[in-house]
Amino acid sequence: MAFLNGHGKAVNIAVIGGTFDPIHNGHLMVADAVASKFDAHVIFVPAGQPWLKAERRLAPISDRLEMVRLAICGDKRYSLSTAETERFGPSYTIDTIRQMKEQIMPCDELYFVLGWDSLLGLSHWHEPEALIQMCRLIAVPRIGYGMPDTMTMERLVAGLSKRVVIMDKPEIDISSSAIRERMRTGLPLENLLPQEVGDYIKERRLYLYED
């Protein structure tokens, strides 16, 4: 993974993690906003078996990876990492960020993108203090959650407020769970995810089971 260009210019790198079960237009809108605002290269990192969702059945890793590939194909601002799907056991964000730090240049700036809801739950993550030391956070809106304030963040994890950028858009009203339910009940998927991803889901007959 090399992000240093031929002129030795530092690069902003933003990591977007998640199950991507499936990836949808909301994920892509967030990636576009982050890439534009921070002039960043965005890396999508599908989770293997995230520890916070250990009880939920996920689509096969091979299918989730392929859906991400289809969704980002042709956009040079984006790339796909299999770091977490190749890792045995639960997936922890801190392990992924440590791996990324080893693969980029010291002058590069590393960001991790998460929702307002995830930011408010950061104290329950694995090694949150180490995480904010190794990268900066970009928090994006989630429907139903208020914008986190500085005092709240400092009560959660000391020093957090100085290591996070709070974005006020885009506001996304699309969820992977709603798409899975629409697939299971036979409702249309148009305008919720890229056409190539929708076609893949139908071809592979994914999400015809209850969560």
Side-chain angles (χ1 to χ4, degrees):
M1 187 182 299
F3 295 98
L4 194 71
N5 66 27
H7 299 289
K9 181 181 178 182
V11 177
N12 291 330
I13 300 164
V15 174
I16 298 182
T19 56
F20 300 115
D21 195 27
I23 189 170
H24 54 66
N25 287 343
H27 295 128
L28 298 177
M29 291 171 66
V30 168
D32 178 70
V34 168
S36 299
K37 181 177 179 63
F38 296 90
D39 188 25
H41 182 87
V42 177
I43 305 176
F44 289 80
V45 187
Q49 179 58 66
W51 67 279
L52 287 173
K53 298 183 180 180
E55 301 303 318
R56 186 175 76 75
R57 176 180 177 182
L58 302 178
I61 289 173
S62 58
D63 288 323
R64 291 188 287 116
L65 288 172
E66 183 59 24
M67 286 188 284
V68 174
R69 287 192 186 97
L70 290 170
I72 68 175
C73 181
D75 196 323
K76 295 181 179 179
R77 300 175 302 167
Y78 306 150
S79 62
L80 170 65
S81 169
T82 58
E84 293 193 2
T85 58
E86 294 175 354
R87 187 182 303 143
F88 291 105
S91 293
Y92 295 112
T93 297
I94 185 62
D95 295 329
T96 301
I97 294 300
R98 283 194 177 110
Q99 184 174 339
M100 294 283 180
K101 289 287 283 188
E102 293 175 355
Q103 296 174 334
I104 65 176
M105 302 299 292
C107 58
D108 293 338
E109 185 75 46
L110 185 61
Y111 296 87
F112 182 76
V113 182
L114 73 173
W116 286 354
D117 55 331
S118 295
L119 180 65
L120 292 171
L122 189 69
S123 60
H124 301 292
W125 288 29
H126 190 61
E127 299 185 50
E129 295 85 1
L131 179 66
I132 64 172
Q133 290 176 4
M134 300 189 74
C135 68
R136 298 183 66 192
L137 306 181
I138 299 172
V140 297
R142 287 297 297 268
I143 299 296
Y145 291 85
M147 180 181 289
D149 62 80
T150 301
M151 291 185 64
T152 298
M153 289 188 288
E154 285 300 312
R155 286 197 297 268
L156 292 171
V157 180
L160 176 58
S161 63
K162 297 179 181 179
R163 298 292 291 168
V164 62
V165 178
I166 306 293
M167 295 181 63
D168 59 4
K169 59 184 179 180
E171 292 185 290
I172 307 299
D173 194 17
I174 304 174
S175 70
S176 295
S177 60
I179 291 172
R180 294 194 300 270
E181 177 64 15
R182 293 178 74 87
M183 184 62 191
R184 190 179 68 81
T185 56
L187 294 174
L189 304 176
E190 284 75 13
N191 301 319
L192 298 176
L193 37 71
Q195 181 67 46
E196 297 85 355
V197 176
D199 291 344
Y200 184 88
I201 290 172
K202 293 174 183 176
E203 177 185 338
R204 298 282 294 174
R205 299 181 59 80
L206 300 177
Y207 311 121
L208 297 181
Y209 50 83
E210 292 189 27
D211 284 352

